Amino acid sequence: MFTLKNKLKIAHFALLMSVLNFLFFHYAFFTFVFEYVDYHSFSGMVLIISLVVLMLVLNALVFYLICYLSHYVGKFLLILFFNINAVAVYFINTYGVMIDKTMVGNILNTNYAESSSFFSIKLLLYLLILGILPSIYIIQVNIVKVTWKKFIITASLSLLFVLALILANASNWLWIDKNSKTLGALAMPWSYSVNTILFYSDRYKSNEKEILLPDAVVADRQKSVVVLVIGESARRANFSLYGYSKNTNPLLSKVPNLYHFDANSSATYTTAGVKSILEHTDTDKLYEILPNYLYRNDVDVVWRTSNWGEPPVHIKTYQKTEALMPHCKGEGCNYDEVLLSGLKEQILASKKNKVLVILHTSTSHGPTYNTKYPARFEVFKPVCKSVDLGKCSQAELINAYDNTIVYTDYMLAKIIDDLKQLKDYQSAMMFVSDHGESLGEKNLYMHGVPMSIAPKEQYEIPFIVWVSDGSKMVKPNKILSQNHVFHSVLKFLNVQSPVYDEGMSIFK
């Protein structure tokens, strides 16, 4: 038996690192296993014990191989693993996320402003205790190398043992295969290591240059404008328009010509959700998206954003909050209201008959929901003020989130009021969210759970539409997808295109 000494044989060091990695970073992994395996049965206990032994031996074998090839590289990688593991398990334990390929993409595309909102003392403690302290020991320990013959023998015996254990669990292969995505997303450090490789592999394979759609034609000279508001993390269950018990839509509920439809997002994370809203069909390929397509075909397109994660936008007027801030006045300029500053005037200044405005908001993005709206919109109290959502009561968390919906209600009503003043235009406002949000249900928070196992809170979204008097009629639609946006905008602006699908338009 060995202890934490400053001098260890390479095999002992590798095994120690494997044991620490197992103890520190696999609570969520085995919580899942115990939840879905009958541990009272003999076969269930065999599976659990096998997974424990397999994880310990396999990780020890990998660490052994790396450290034998180079002590310095091995130590560097282990330090990197322990620190990234610490951050990863903080998010897994705190928010119930899965570190799969889509989550890796979400992380790599996160901007500083969003990532900084997750900062907490608890995160620092995870990093200090599970990452930095083990790193100090890894730096100080002296690894005693062995002969190449002993290395070959140890590695070979370990590999044979692993193979034997895998064969002994042949009856459990079906269960492991069925749950492989979840198990792989919770196994450290391989969840983010493998999925980062897969993410970049998919990006490399994808067609980075968008596939152009067939040319379109603007069919009339009627002045028309659509304001498409892309919501962030707005789930329809918390909109009173959809029957929610709390009045989160006090303004929209009184607006004439307003329609709301059930809709599902195609993904539970921003980049895929926004892409789906802007594309003509649900596909992994990068086809020309709505703003690029209309801009290329003589429609005036304006994009205003306080968010991120959209596909490449190729238009003239792309405005971030920093560009809008100098011309904005009032308390709302520090929030998503800045996106509405001078919007009516910008539409009126257009020299084109057809105008599309896209507002990409961030209003309901967690974990700091209470910072996403001005104080006067804090209708529901008390609210959660911690980034560690598990420390708040669910009532406090939902109150904070509901206040973001009240603020969304105000902004949408304000957009409609502005559009009503454009007497020469046929106008429409469409609000569609990129995905939903978990607020503690099933101990899950925020979003990003793979669609195959995602709860409905993360994909059931609002699809809200307003039309001006005398403009297009709205079909009695049932459940919609995000792809309905593309065809509905074409229909409203009377842009004729070979890719237009009448069945995918919400307008008659």
Side-chain angles (χ1 to χ4, degrees):
M1 186 65 183
F2 56 86
T3 56
L4 292 177
K5 298 177 182 178
N6 285 336
K7 189 174 183 180
L8 284 176
K9 292 180 180 179
I10 187 171
H12 291 173
F13 174 73
L15 185 55
L16 174 61
M17 292 298 102
S18 181
V19 169
L20 293 179
N21 180 68
F22 173 83
L23 294 175
F24 288 176
F25 307 119
H26 289 91
Y27 172 78
F29 182 97
F30 282 98
T31 297
F32 174 82
V33 172
F34 273 88
E35 185 175 351
Y36 290 96
V37 171
D38 181 13
Y39 52 86
H40 295 295
S41 68
F42 176 75
S43 61
M45 282 305 301
V46 169
L47 174 59
I48 292 169
I49 293 169
S50 297
L51 285 173
V52 171
V53 175
L54 193 62
M55 182 173 287
L56 287 170
V57 176
L58 264 179
N59 283 336
L61 177 59
V62 173
F63 298 158
Y64 182 68
L65 293 172
I66 295 171
C67 290
Y68 182 82
L69 294 173
S70 171
H71 288 184
Y72 298 109
V73 173
K75 283 188 173 186
F76 171 78
L77 288 175
L78 284 167
I79 290 169
L80 192 65
F81 286 155
F82 270 76
N83 283 277
I84 297 177
N85 286 358
V87 176
V89 297
Y90 164 78
F91 282 95
I92 290 170
N93 295 341
T94 305
Y95 300 112
V97 302
M98 297 282 183
I99 312 296
D100 64 349
K101 183 173 62 176
T102 56
M103 181 56 68
V104 166
N106 215 15
I107 293 165
L108 293 173
N109 284 302
T110 299
N111 59 20
Y112 172 76
E114 184 178 330
S115 61
S116 62
S117 68
F118 291 98
F119 177 82
S120 70
I121 298 300
K122 183 179 176 181
L123 173 58
L124 282 180
L125 289 174
Y126 265 76
L127 192 57
L128 174 64
I129 297 170
L130 303 181
I132 295 173
L133 290 180
S135 297
I136 294 171
Y137 174 75
I138 291 170
I139 292 169
Q140 291 180 340
V141 71
N142 181 23
I143 302 174
V144 180
K145 205 166 185 179
V146 295
T147 64
W148 70 270
K149 287 184 179 180
K150 191 165 186 180
F151 165 75
I152 293 295
I153 292 170
T154 303
S156 300
L157 289 175
S158 300
L159 191 58
L160 286 171
F161 177 78
V162 167
L163 292 173
L165 194 59
I166 291 172
L167 289 172
N169 275 275
S171 60
N172 292 312
W173 286 357
L174 187 60
W175 184 90
I176 294 172
D177 180 65
K178 179 183 176 182
N179 296 283
S180 58
K181 286 189 176 181
T182 304
L183 295 173
L186 297 174
M188 300 295 149
W190 315 117
S191 57
Y192 56 84
S193 301
V194 173
N195 283 307
T196 298
I197 294 169
L198 292 174
F199 171 78
Y200 279 109
S201 175
D202 283 358
R203 174 175 282 190
Y204 177 77
K205 291 176 185 176
S206 67
N207 189 345
E208 286 299 314
K209 186 176 181 181
E210 63 183 9
I211 304 167
L212 297 183
L213 298 175
D215 290 347
V217 176
V218 177
D220 63 37
R221 298 179 60 83
Q222 167 66 50
K223 284 182 173 290
S224 304
V225 57
V226 174
V227 177
L228 168 61
V229 184
I230 300 177
E232 170 63 63
S233 306
R235 69 185 203 182
R236 72 168 182 259
N238 290 57
F239 282 68
S240 55
L241 286 174
Y242 288 88
Y244 187 44
S245 59
K246 292 156 74 174
N247 188 14
T248 53
N249 300 126
L251 299 177
L252 291 180
S253 59
K254 300 173 184 177
V255 174
N257 300 334
L258 189 91
Y259 307 86
H260 59 277
F261 307 100
D262 291 348
N264 290 336
S265 64
S266 63
T268 61
Y269 59 102
T270 298
T271 50
V274 174
K275 178 177 178 288
S276 185
I277 290 171
L278 300 176
E279 62 189 0
H280 73 290
T281 188
D282 192 13
T283 175
D284 291 333
K285 295 181 180 179
L286 184 58
Y287 281 99
E288 193 171 19
I289 57 173
L290 181 65
N292 301 349
Y293 185 51
L294 292 183
Y295 178 74
R296 185 170 66 83
N297 287 281
D298 207 33
V299 173
D300 194 1
V301 181
V302 175
W303 184 292
R304 293 180 167 199
T305 181
S306 64
N307 211 325
W308 60 277
E310 70 273 359
V313 178
H314 307 306
I315 62 173
K316 183 180 178 180
T317 312
Y318 181 94
Q319 300 170 308
K320 294 186 177 182
T321 51
E322 304 88 75
L324 299 169
M325 193 71 75
H327 308 288
C328 186
K329 294 180 181 180
E331 179 189 26
C333 300
N334 297 316
Y335 303 91
D336 272 351
E337 236 172 301
V338 68
L339 301 179
L340 312 186
S341 176
L343 181 59
K344 180 177 63 174
E345 292 73 19
Q346 191 171 26
I347 294 170
L348 287 170
S350 175
K351 296 179 180 179
K352 303 272 180 79
N353 291 324
K354 307 295 182 180
V355 181
L356 169 65
V357 178
I358 299 177
L359 307 179
H360 188 192
T361 68
S362 59
T363 313
S364 296
H365 199 293
T368 52
Y369 305 109
N370 66 301
T371 67
K372 296 292 188 177
Y373 50 84
R376 64 192 176 98
F377 290 94
E378 195 160 280
V379 178
F380 305 107
K381 301 176 182 180
V383 300
C384 175
K385 296 182 178 180
S386 172
V387 298
D388 186 355
L389 302 182
K391 284 187 175 180
C392 299
S393 70
Q394 191 175 29
E396 291 172 333
L397 178 59
I398 291 175
N399 281 343
Y401 180 83
D402 285 345
N403 291 331
T404 70
I405 305 302
V406 174
Y407 188 47
T408 298
D409 177 80
Y410 166 78
M411 287 193 297
L412 296 181
K414 191 172 181 181
I415 292 168
I416 292 170
D417 284 341
D418 281 350
L419 291 176
K420 284 179 179 178
Q421 296 174 43
L422 305 179
K423 300 300 184 182
D424 295 334
Y425 284 82
Q426 289 187 346
S427 306
M429 187 281 300
M430 301 172 65
F431 174 78
V432 185
S433 187
D434 57 355
H435 51 74
E437 190 85 335
S438 284
L439 299 172
E441 300 89 2
K442 300 177 183 176
N443 206 32
L444 293 174
Y445 297 93
M446 298 183 62
H447 51 269
V449 173
M451 279 296 289
S452 58
I453 58 171
K456 64 181 182 179
E457 291 83 8
Q458 292 194 25
Y459 61 79
E460 290 187 348
I461 57 171
F463 197 123
I464 300 171
V465 181
W466 171 85
V467 290
S468 60
D469 292 331
S471 56
K472 296 286 189 294
M473 300 292 290
V474 178
K475 296 176 184 175
N477 301 280
K478 293 184 179 179
I479 192 158
L480 304 179
S481 71
Q482 291 169 320
N483 297 133
H484 278 75
V485 170
F486 185 101
H487 302 276
S488 301
V489 171
L490 261 60
K491 179 72 171 181
F492 193 88
L493 297 178
N494 204 4
V495 175
Q496 296 179 355
S497 166
V499 298
Y500 172 72
D501 183 349
E502 176 66 28
M504 292 293 287
S505 170
I506 65 170
F507 299 113
K508 292 182 180 177

